[in-house]
Amino acid sequence: MHHFTHYTPTKVIFGKNTQFQTASAIQEFGGSKVFIVYGGGSVVRSGLLAQITKNLEEHGLEYYVKGGVKPNPRLSFAREAVKESIAFGTDFVLGVGGGSVLDTAKAIAHGTANPEIDIWRFWSKELPIEKSLPIGAVLTISAAGSETSDSAVLTNTETGRKCGTTTDLNRPKFAIMNPELTYTLPIYQIGCGICDIMMHTLDRYFTPTKGNQLTDEIAEGLLRTVIANGRTAMQHPSDYDAMSEIMWAGSLSHNGLTGLGAEKDFAVHQLGHELSAMFDIAHGATLTAVWSAWAHYVYEEHPERFAQYARKVWGIREEEDEKAALAGIEATVDYFRSLDMPVKFSDLAIGIQPVEVLERLADSCSYDRSRTIGSFKKCDRDAIFEIYKMANC
């Protein structure tokens, strides 16, 4: 086992009707004036928002409500919300929704605690985040794992850049996780979520680090669990057992546990972020659209790692490592297809792109040749271009 520091302070409140514990959880962490942020309105139509605000009222908590977070959360919305939060006198930020909402809640918390600083300076790595407000999460989508993670992503539509920032101040104080709140999600969103959970684990699993037996076993078990229950969830989205397994896997996939002691890769996330920023595509779909191309481009670097994945996760019995590796890649792609997820550009609404667009994607992803991505195989600007070209079919 290699050196690591593991810190996951989020209090998880899991199970049916746990949304009614929101107010007491906020009070436990010192909140009294709560800024509530949510997305497109499903939490209003379902009655969840009304349940939460009534719960806050019963506990004597003041609150301010702001909806309208979009997928691939916008910097412009977060900036506007920060101004409103400062004016309200917020001392606790509550996100009610999925990853985009929770990442926005984190931005609001950072911006409110640092009113003299434009929040993009944190996301552009110009300044470190040194203070913030406490954050809580009521999860309605199993996908991003933002409810327990130390990361948050924002899209700057002015520059076309989608960036993440990592700090322990991003970790929510608590996460309310009731699988029943995910029953009404569109099937496509469930599929995107399943794939996002898988990719948070795969982007840690495909690492040049060797010798992390227990961490590997945790990752492999999580992947098998998500794959099996994902099939059930797509057919029966109100199956509590399947949806609860997926919800818990989503949190574990991105709280650091599945990559302890190993160097992270996350090249696929970087490749996907550029597609999201340029075309406003759902995050999970961008990941599956480029994964096959990335895997075929890099697997020869450590074919034994892909072979281990194929055998332990997919049950492939091929003894030769290269054949097993390729079979594991194909099994993964077939699974994405079974969820009606895209596995190449032509499966996306954008279709096949001209070479000049691929050039722009590669330039942006490499920060104009100033960085490489990945660790399993480091990919420079030209490698990134080749991966996009392979996916562009």
Side-chain angles (χ1 to χ4, degrees):
M1 179 61 70
H2 296 259
H3 173 79
F4 64 83
T5 299
H6 186 50
Y7 179 65
T8 51
T10 304
K11 181 176 183 177
V12 174
I13 306 168
F14 192 102
K16 297 179 181 181
N17 296 318
T18 47
Q19 66 269 29
F20 297 109
Q21 298 181 46
T22 303
S24 58
I26 291 170
Q27 289 179 317
E28 179 182 346
F29 293 101
S32 60
K33 299 194 71 171
V34 185
F35 192 98
I36 304 172
V37 61
Y38 67 92
S42 61
V43 299
V44 176
R45 295 188 294 274
S46 69
L48 174 61
L49 184 62
Q51 291 175 345
I52 291 171
T53 54
K54 182 180 179 182
N55 183 237
L56 267 58
E57 290 167 4
E58 290 171 346
H59 284 72
L61 299 179
E62 295 181 59
Y63 61 85
Y64 182 101
V65 179
K66 184 173 179 63
V69 175
K70 298 181 183 298
N72 301 312
R74 298 342 189 233
L75 170 65
S76 56
F77 179 94
R79 281 172 168 160
E80 177 183 295
V82 166
K83 293 178 182 178
E84 295 174 28
S85 176
I86 292 169
F88 174 63
T90 301
D91 62 16
F92 195 99
V93 181
L94 179 70
V96 183
S100 294
V101 168
L102 302 185
D103 285 2
T104 302
K106 296 173 183 183
I108 296 167
H110 303 332
T112 306
N114 299 276
E116 72 287 356
I117 300 173
D118 177 59
I119 54 175
W120 188 246
R121 298 181 73 186
F122 298 137
W123 266 259
S124 64
K125 309 298 190 296
E126 183 181 344
L127 292 174
I129 303 171
E130 296 179 337
K131 60 181 177 178
S132 189
L133 296 182
I135 309 153
V138 179
L139 189 64
T140 64
I141 302 172
S142 303
S146 188
E147 66 277 2
T148 56
S149 82
D150 64 354
S151 64
V153 175
L154 285 179
T155 300
N156 186 335
T157 54
E158 295 174 3
T159 64
R161 175 128 320 156
K162 184 175 182 179
C163 296
T165 187
T166 301
T167 168
D168 282 331
L169 293 172
N170 276 331
R171 294 190 187 274
K173 296 297 185 183
F174 67 82
I176 302 287
M177 298 171 62
N178 175 2
E180 291 181 317
L181 301 181
T182 67
Y183 285 0
T184 58
L185 287 171
I187 294 298
Y188 179 70
Q189 272 193 297
I190 294 174
C192 282
I194 292 165
C195 295
D196 196 8
I197 292 167
M198 290 180 65
M199 215 63 68
H200 279 144
T201 300
L202 292 174
D203 273 358
R204 291 175 167 89
Y205 185 83
F206 288 109
T207 171
T209 306
K210 301 181 187 301
N212 274 3
Q213 181 180 345
L214 180 57
T215 295
D216 282 355
E217 292 283 356
I218 292 169
E220 290 156 0
L222 188 148
L223 287 165
R224 291 193 301 270
T225 299
V226 171
I227 289 164
N229 286 280
R231 292 189 178 107
T232 301
M234 293 294 284
Q235 297 296 320
H236 306 286
S238 59
D239 184 304
Y240 183 85
D241 290 336
M243 297 303 269
S244 63
E245 295 290 347
I246 291 169
M247 179 172 272
W248 185 225
S251 288
L252 296 185
S253 73
H254 205 30
N255 74 354
L257 186 64
T258 59
L260 288 182
E263 188 177 0
K264 293 188 290 187
D265 183 86
F266 274 79
V268 174
H269 265 75
Q270 300 301 323
L271 294 162
H273 281 173
E274 297 307 324
L275 289 175
S276 291
M278 184 175 288
F279 298 107
D280 198 21
I281 302 168
H283 176 57
T286 68
L287 302 179
T288 59
V290 299
W291 189 85
S292 176
W294 170 84
H296 280 98
Y297 188 85
V298 306
Y299 85 93
E300 291 178 318
E301 196 77 5
H302 303 285
E304 73 283 356
R305 187 63 172 170
F306 273 87
Q308 177 179 323
Y309 165 69
R311 293 168 185 142
K312 299 291 275 299
V313 174
W314 295 105
I316 289 166
R317 298 185 179 276
E318 174 60 56
E319 292 185 7
E320 186 180 332
D321 279 354
E322 181 162 355
K323 290 181 179 178
L326 290 170
I329 293 170
E330 190 57 34
T332 308
V333 173
D334 286 344
Y335 182 72
F336 293 157
R337 286 196 186 101
S338 77
L339 304 182
D340 291 326
M341 297 302 295
V343 297
K344 54 187 184 299
F345 280 20
S346 60
D347 294 336
L348 296 166
I350 63 171
I352 296 175
Q353 291 296 303
V355 172
E356 53 266 28
V357 171
L358 306 184
E359 299 274 8
R360 290 205 305 272
L361 286 167
D363 288 341
S364 183
C365 190
S366 66
Y367 294 177
D368 295 318
R369 298 183 181 270
S370 67
R371 71 161 182 170
T372 61
I373 64 171
S375 62
F376 186 84
K377 179 176 182 175
K378 291 189 183 298
C379 297
D380 61 13
R381 188 267 181 201
D382 293 337
I384 292 167
F385 174 74
E386 287 301 319
I387 294 169
Y388 281 133
K389 192 162 65 172
M390 290 167 66
N392 191 42
C393 59

